[in-house]
């Protein structure tokens, strides 16, 4: 199912689509060479916004849930990608320990876990589920809405390894973002592969690091195609630490928002875009519950100031500090049944395996759609991503548009690879 595109997608996006399709051999070779030098994250999902004049990633998730939102048609490609990923990491792999998030009562999320378990079982692995929840001290069976059933077991930690009772895995896959911090149980494992690595966890990972890496990737890719990297790159400003109870410390966020809005206005003028720009203010890590705020004028941040003071008072623990990020707002002009939509692309290893449209009838083109009330319409990238149609009029072919999504998503995945390499605490540093 393809949503109705409100805009005709004229101008830069159509020009970019034509250039990408013309450059397919060079693009795919470029990706191959990059993956010779860098290791892709084990799995990734990327939220993409299509503004008609710009196509850019706005979030890159290294612990993607929502696998149950993908169509069954994606399973063969996902299984093949899982096989490729496991063969690179642990060719003799037999047992895989999958650690989900602790919200085992969320049947929607656990259906996602069941889909992941199925993918890796079809890839030839024995898969069992272990939980970090200390309240679970014995095996618990969970019935799912689709009639499936999964069993979650308490983890067993020895001095050197992590597993389950009578189950010793060589590979441990986290589907838990670890936003609340890194449990000691996951540290100092011996000869076991932990995926993704601990420094990808939400409590330590910084969005600013990711978008800095993405900016580097976008510039390389833009040079390859002879284009303006801004067409695929959301500008951003890191505001550093902000005290939730200190109004003066919010001035750095206001200054960052004001400067970034000025840069966007200049770009809009350059491309003849007659829209009012906006930025999105959000926590720089995944650990904060403050969400995000759409801002068209830095003065609007006074409302955020009041909100943060209220949250600090509710917490009752005095000043709280978190890092803040201001990101260029990219509107989405894709719609399905009059509801605003955005594509989300899923990848395993370096392969695009599927995706869906996130749809929200109560949100605007400039708002975050990843919110309660969102719906999901699956897209099968297995054929459309790999079979674009060069020569077809830009904007007229769904496979071409999906290929574009896949290219931008892979750029974000490559940026995540750069990011994880740069932030690896165990990496050797050479003078």
């Amino acid at each position: 199912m393809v949503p109705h595109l409100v805009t005709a997608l004229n101008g830069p996006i159509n020009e970019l689509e034509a250039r990408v399709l013309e450059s397919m051999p060079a693009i795919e070779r470029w990706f191959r060479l990059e993956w010779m030098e860098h290791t892709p994250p084990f799995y990734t999902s990327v939220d993409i916004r299509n503004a008609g004049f710009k196509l850019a990633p706005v979030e890159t998730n290294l612990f993607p849930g929502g696998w149950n939102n993908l169509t069954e048609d994606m399973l063969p490609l996902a299984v093949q990608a899982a096989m490729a990923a496991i063969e690179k990491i642990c060719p003799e792999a037999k047992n895989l320990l999958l650690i989900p998030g602790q919200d085992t009562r969320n049947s929607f999320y656990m259906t996602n876990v069941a889909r992941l378990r199925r993918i890796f079982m079809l890839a030839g692995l024995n898969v069992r589920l272990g939980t970090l929840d200390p309240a679970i001290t014995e095996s618990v069976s969970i019935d799912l809405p689709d009639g499936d059933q999964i069993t979650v077991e308490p983890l067993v930690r020895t001095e050197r390894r992590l597993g389950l009772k009578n189950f010793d895995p060589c590979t441990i896959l986290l589907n838990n973002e670890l936003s609340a911090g890194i449990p000691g149980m996951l540290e100092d494992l011996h000869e076991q592969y932990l995926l993704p690595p601990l420094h990808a966890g939400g409590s330590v990972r910084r969005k600013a690091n990711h978008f800095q890496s993405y900016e580097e990737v976008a510039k390389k890719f833009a040079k390859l195609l002879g284009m303006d990297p801004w067409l695929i790159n959301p500008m951003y400003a890191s505001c550093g630490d902000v005290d939730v109870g200190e109004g003066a410390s919010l001035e750095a966020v206001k200054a960052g928002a004001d400067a970034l809005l000025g840069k966007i206005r200049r770009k809009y003028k350059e491309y003849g875009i007659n829209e009012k720009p906006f930025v999105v203010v959000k926590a720089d890590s995944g650990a904060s519950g403050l969400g995000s705020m759409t801002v068209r004028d830095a003065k609007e941040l006074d409302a955020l100031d009041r909100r943060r003071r209220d949250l600090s008072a509710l917490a009752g623990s005095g000043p709280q500090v978190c890092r803040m990020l201001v990101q260029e707002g990219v509107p989405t002009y894709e719609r399905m049944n009059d509801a605003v939509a955005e594509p989300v692309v899923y990848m395993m290893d370096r392969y695009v395996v599927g995706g869906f449209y996130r749809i929200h009838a109560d949100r605007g083109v400039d708002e975050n759609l990843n919110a309660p009330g969102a719906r999901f319409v699956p897209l099968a990238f297995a054929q459309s991503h790999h079979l674009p149609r060069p020569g077809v009029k830009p904007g007229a072919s769904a496979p071409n548009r999906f290929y574009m999504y896949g290219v931008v998503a892979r750029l974000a995945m490559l940026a995540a690879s750069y990011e994880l390499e740069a932030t690896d605490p165990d990496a050797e540093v050479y003078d």
Side-chain angles (χ1 to χ4, degrees), residues 181-407:
I182 297 173
M185 186 176 286
L186 298 179
E187 297 180 321
D188 301 320
L189 298 177
H190 180 70
E191 294 181 355
Q192 286 179 298
Y193 297 94
L194 182 64
L195 305 167
L198 291 178
H199 66 283
S203 62
V204 293
R205 185 183 180 220
R206 298 288 176 255
K207 293 182 174 73
N209 289 333
H210 175 72
F211 284 105
Q212 180 181 17
S213 295
Y214 184 81
E215 184 174 29
E216 180 182 350
V217 169
K219 286 179 178 177
K220 288 184 178 181
F221 184 78
K223 184 177 180 180
L224 175 72
L225 267 63
M227 54 172 267
D228 182 353
W230 178 75
L231 297 175
I232 55 171
N233 180 35
M235 296 186 288
Y236 75 98
S238 179
C239 303
D241 293 335
V242 175
D243 190 327
V244 298
E246 179 64 43
S249 71
L250 200 63
E251 291 304 316
V253 182
K254 292 179 182 177
D258 198 43
L260 190 55
L261 284 166
K263 291 180 181 179
I264 302 170
R265 288 188 196 100
R266 289 192 289 275
K267 276 294 181 182
Y268 279 20
K269 184 177 180 180
E270 177 184 343
Y271 283 95
I273 299 166
N274 296 315
E275 296 190 20
K276 188 171 183 179
F278 66 97
V279 296
V280 176
V281 179
K282 51 184 153 182
D284 196 13
S285 72
S288 172
L290 294 175
S292 61
M293 181 178 182
T294 298
V295 175
R296 295 182 182 277
D297 188 308
K299 294 178 181 177
E300 297 172 20
L301 284 166
D302 291 335
L304 178 64
D305 191 10
R306 289 191 296 271
R307 180 186 176 197
R308 295 174 72 79
R309 284 201 302 270
D310 291 344
L311 286 169
S312 181
L314 286 172
S317 56
Q320 300 173 32
V321 176
C322 75
R323 299 179 68 86
M324 299 293 289
L325 182 80
V326 180
Q327 187 178 45
E328 176 186 357
V330 182
T332 177
Y333 289 114
E334 302 203 44
R335 287 181 177 269
M336 181 175 286
N337 299 327
D338 293 328
V340 177
E342 66 183 6
V344 184
V345 178
Y346 277 62
M347 292 159 288
M348 192 171 290
D349 195 61
R350 59 191 179 98
Y351 305 102
V352 174
V353 298
F356 55 80
Y357 276 100
R358 181 184 288 121
I359 302 165
H360 206 304
D362 299 324
R363 293 283 173 127
V365 299
D366 59 351
E367 293 183 290
N368 179 14
L369 305 188
N370 191 10
R375 295 185 299 110
F376 309 94
V377 177
L379 292 168
F381 279 68
Q383 291 184 350
S384 58
H385 163 66
H386 292 289
L387 298 174
R389 300 163 60 194
V392 174
K393 181 181 177 181
S397 167
N400 288 355
R401 190 53 39 96
F402 297 163
Y403 179 73
M404 287 275 290
Y405 295 160
V407 167

Side-chain angles (χ1 to χ4, degrees), residues 11 19 27 30 64 71 86 98 116 124 131 155 166 171 215 255 274 288 291 298 319 340 347 350 357 373 431:
R19 187 167 298 185
I27 290 171
W30 182 81
T71 174
I86 291 294
L98 175 57
L116 274 175
T131 179
L155 292 168
N166 301 321
T171 304
E215 184 174 29
N274 296 315
S288 172
V340 177
M347 292 159 288
R350 59 191 179 98
Y357 276 100
D431 293 331

Side-chain angles (χ1 to χ4, degrees), residues 101-120:
Q102 292 182 210
D103 192 5
T104 55
R105 291 173 295 182
N106 185 334
S107 60
F108 184 81
Y109 170 72
M110 295 309 291
T111 303
N112 147 76
V113 174
R115 172 64 68 86
L116 274 175
R117 181 191 64 170
R118 183 181 175 195
I119 289 170
F120 290 104

Side-chain angles (χ1 to χ4, degrees), residues 49-178:
R49 305 279 285 202
N50 186 349
F53 55 83
K54 181 170 186 151
L55 185 69
V58 293
E59 287 287 345
T60 301
N61 190 346
L62 299 181
F63 300 83
W67 289 88
N68 53 309
N69 293 322
L70 276 63
T71 174
E72 285 278 328
D73 294 341
M74 56 70 70
L75 273 175
L77 196 59
V79 170
Q80 189 176 27
M83 288 178 174
I86 291 294
E87 284 173 8
K88 286 195 303 186
I89 296 163
C90 184
E92 68 277 12
K94 178 181 178 181
N95 296 333
L96 174 73
L97 174 61
L98 175 57
I99 301 181
Q102 292 182 210
D103 192 5
T104 55
R105 291 173 295 182
N106 185 334
S107 60
F108 184 81
Y109 170 72
M110 295 309 291
T111 303
N112 147 76
V113 174
R115 172 64 68 86
L116 274 175
R117 181 191 64 170
R118 183 181 175 195
I119 289 170
F120 290 104
M121 287 177 65
L122 291 172
L125 295 169
N126 299 316
V127 184
R128 285 168 65 176
L129 310 180
T131 179
L132 291 163
D133 187 349
I136 295 180
T137 57
E138 58 184 27
S139 297
V140 175
S141 294
I142 301 170
D143 294 321
L144 302 177
D146 60 3
D148 197 0
Q149 185 183 74
I150 58 176
T151 299
V152 178
E153 304 175 63
L155 292 168
V156 176
R157 175 67 199 249
T158 62
E159 183 180 353
R160 297 159 70 86
R161 297 177 73 83
L162 179 66
L164 306 174
K165 184 178 180 181
N166 301 321
F167 188 76
D168 184 29
C170 83
T171 304
I172 301 167
L173 178 62
L174 297 172
N175 197 240
N176 181 331
E177 195 175 10
L178 306 179

